[in-house]
Amino acid sequence: MLTSQWVCRRCIKALAQPRNRPFLRLASTDAQTNLPPILLQRARNLCAEHDKLASALLKEYDSKIAKRVGELSRVAAALKKWDAAQSSILELNALLESQDAELRQLAKDELSTTNANIGTLATALSASLTPRDPFADMPCLLEIRPGPGGMEGRYFADTILRMYKMYCIRKGIRANVLKREVVDGAESTMLGISESPLQEAVLQILDPGAYDLFRGEAGMHRVQRVPCTEAMGRTHTSAVAVWVLPLFSDDESAMPNEMSLKDPNSIFYVDPKDVREEKMRASGAGGQHVNKTESAIRLTHEPTGITVSMQDSRSQHRNRHDAWLLLRSRIGQRRREEREEQAAALRNSVLSQDKISRTGKIRTYAYAQDRCTDHRGGLDVHNLRDVLEGGELLDKLMDSTKEWLVARDIAALIAEEEAAAAPPGKKSKK
């Protein structure tokens, strides 16, 4: 068996021999097939900027330059892997012309592996060029409410809350229920899972990067099943709305200035003068304390009309803290969406056409077929119980959504680059 060091020496020797190499042009064509030239050129431009700024940092440290170098580092790393794979293809193609049969076989096997990986590298490089979500590294809040479907929607909302709680437990992600309100009604059981009629719930997920992990879960989750109370055996269709909100840190030093609670230019900044606070007695079960003390808090942000109520804790102070946390997250998300909509309208890209809306159906849970379908990644999985238990099939659905989000962002980036590169008279008119 040949050693890798010996193969490397033979590679160098083979490449040193003068010969006609038609495969060089073929490799270039393959590269362009896997990665649009306009994106490859953008990557090289950004990598050149990265190297220039990194050299400047060696001479004198500057926080702004260091931040920009950090932003460009993932592009530089992805391009380095891409270029290494392309160089490897050229070398291996050269060895295919070797007179040594064993060396040709080794080169053929290695070339097959490298070609199989080139698509993954192209996608990774393309994804590194897309803007990183500003909330990606933050914790998050999952806000769950029943949609159309009456009581059946409320029951399934409780199952969705449980699904995400079980998922976090299985993955070792820190999470706790910040708010869980139910309405009067008997419990239901479906697939062995007990359900209560949920009015509203907020799941707080504390690990950094949780927003990036769960952001694809935002949207309408549709369920098709026969309720326990259905005497005729008819299938009912209901829906549950899930919002994914960024969760700011109580540690101001850990937050960038543009997300500071004290900076008026931050999307999370809320002027206390704009918020009306009301103290109320909590409703629902809880005994004499709930009935006799005004521990519940309702906050209303008057400029936007956003209202938050919190009564889960017996402590008024704790309810006020949690209400402000949720209010800031909702306002921050709305401001971010408004900025994105303005930017999308300005650049008129495919992103504005494919953007997920809160009313968009993203997933269907079909009990009769024991199936769950994600309508963005186009993935069907069977064994619905595993999905609703937060099992590995939920991982597959979430991964499929991430791939769809990356493909959408890449398509938007290509559209922007092509629009920017087109002559003024040939730019698309819409």
Side-chain angles (χ1 to χ4, degrees):
M1 187 69 181
L2 298 176
T3 65
S4 58
Q5 293 85 356
W6 188 85
V7 171
C8 289
R9 288 196 296 271
R10 293 293 298 268
C11 288
I12 295 172
K13 182 178 179 181
L15 287 172
Q17 298 298 323
R19 64 181 77 221
N20 294 324
R21 296 187 186 134
F23 58 82
L24 289 175
R25 183 172 57 83
L26 179 60
S28 176
T29 302
D30 288 344
Q32 292 179 3
T33 300
N34 286 285
L35 186 67
I38 196 166
L39 292 189
L40 185 58
Q41 185 57 50
R42 177 181 173 85
R44 297 205 183 284
N45 293 340
L46 293 177
C47 189
E49 180 185 354
H50 171 272
D51 294 344
K52 182 179 179 180
L53 294 178
S55 299
L57 275 180
L58 294 176
K59 300 177 183 178
E60 183 178 0
Y61 180 80
D62 183 280
S63 59
K64 292 183 179 180
I65 293 178
K67 180 180 179 181
R68 179 60 176 166
V69 169
E71 293 172 351
L72 297 176
S73 61
R74 64 189 189 119
V75 178
L79 181 61
K80 183 177 181 180
K81 292 179 180 179
W82 165 265
D83 283 339
Q86 295 302 314
S87 297
S88 177
I89 289 174
L90 295 179
E91 294 174 357
L92 292 169
N93 270 305
L95 290 179
L96 291 178
E97 300 181 7
S98 170
Q99 300 299 318
D100 189 318
E102 188 175 5
L103 186 58
R104 287 199 308 272
Q105 186 59 45
L106 283 173
K108 183 178 179 181
D109 294 342
E110 184 66 23
L111 186 61
S112 176
T113 302
T114 304
N115 282 329
N117 293 334
I118 201 69
T120 301
L121 294 174
T123 301
L125 179 55
S126 300
S128 73
L129 296 169
T130 60
R132 183 167 172 77
D133 193 295
F135 300 151
D137 297 324
M138 298 178 68
C140 72
L141 298 174
L142 293 186
E143 190 171 347
I144 301 167
R145 297 182 199 166
M151 287 295 288
E152 180 63 11
R154 297 185 189 279
Y155 283 122
F156 189 64
D158 198 35
T159 291
I160 290 294
L161 171 63
R162 181 181 182 275
M163 177 181 75
Y164 290 127
K165 286 169 57 181
M166 297 294 290
Y167 177 83
C168 290
I169 291 172
R170 182 175 67 84
K171 303 288 282 189
I173 300 172
R174 295 176 300 151
N176 62 272
V177 178
L178 191 69
K179 180 179 184 179
R180 182 177 182 270
E181 294 182 3
V182 298
V183 299
D184 291 336
E187 287 195 350
S188 173
T189 301
M190 299 291 288
L191 290 181
I193 298 173
S194 179
E195 303 172 335
S196 298
L198 188 69
Q199 172 70 24
E200 181 182 3
V202 178
L203 183 65
Q204 184 181 34
I205 304 178
L206 300 170
D207 284 14
Y211 183 89
D212 189 53
L213 177 63
F214 286 96
R215 67 188 180 103
E217 296 301 292
M220 295 298 291
H221 295 242
R222 184 177 69 171
V223 59
Q224 296 175 328
R225 65 185 187 179
V226 179
C228 293
T229 56
E230 172 55 59
M232 304 297 293
R234 293 170 296 188
T235 298
H236 290 218
T237 298
S238 306
V240 173
V242 176
W243 286 268
V244 182
L245 308 175
L247 176 60
F248 62 88
S249 172
D250 288 330
D251 182 7
E252 280 287 301
S253 62
M255 299 289 290
N257 291 335
E258 60 270 20
M259 297 183 186
S260 170
L261 305 183
K262 300 177 181 178
D263 185 354
N265 296 319
S266 166
I267 62 174
F268 288 122
Y269 174 79
V270 179
D271 190 339
K273 297 178 182 177
D274 294 334
V275 178
R276 183 176 73 253
E277 178 180 307
E278 300 170 82
K279 302 178 183 67
M280 307 170 294
R281 291 184 181 181
S283 61
Q288 292 182 353
H289 174 83
V290 168
N291 297 327
K292 293 185 177 180
T293 63
E294 293 186 336
S295 59
I297 294 293
R298 179 164 61 199
L299 301 178
T300 302
H301 186 243
E302 295 183 338
T304 61
I306 294 176
T307 299
V308 171
S309 61
M310 193 67 63
Q311 66 173 25
D312 281 34
S313 173
R314 295 179 61 179
S315 166
Q316 186 186 95
H317 175 75
R318 183 65 193 180
N319 283 331
R320 180 181 292 106
H321 173 274
D322 291 346
W324 270 98
L325 184 149
L326 183 55
L327 180 67
R328 287 192 176 102
S329 292
R330 287 184 182 175
I331 291 174
Q333 181 72 3
R334 174 177 289 191
R335 288 172 177 169
R336 187 268 183 88
E337 288 175 353
E338 289 172 352
R339 292 181 185 180
E340 284 186 344
E341 288 172 1
Q342 292 171 358
L346 287 173
R347 66 179 183 259
N348 196 22
S349 70
V350 295
L351 181 61
S352 62
Q353 300 171 19
D354 293 339
K355 182 180 178 182
I356 301 174
S357 65
R358 291 184 175 182
T359 58
K361 175 186 66 179
I362 66 167
R363 196 173 291 159
T364 295
Y365 304 78
Y367 277 61
Q369 291 82 32
D370 193 27
R371 169 180 53 82
C372 186
T373 300
D374 191 277
H375 301 290
R376 297 155 300 174
L379 177 66
D380 284 330
V381 298
H382 292 82
N383 189 354
L384 187 57
R385 177 65 183 265
D386 183 75
V387 175
L388 298 177
E389 292 283 353
E392 294 182 357
L393 289 180
L394 182 57
D395 276 322
K396 291 184 65 175
L397 290 166
M398 293 174 68
D399 289 343
S400 172
T401 299
K402 289 178 186 177
E403 293 174 2
W404 178 84
L405 288 170
V406 169
R408 184 197 64 168
D409 290 344
I410 291 172
L413 178 62
I414 292 174
E416 290 180 16
E417 290 294 314
E418 290 178 345
K426 292 187 177 182
K427 290 186 178 180
S428 60
K429 298 179 181 180
K430 292 185 180 182

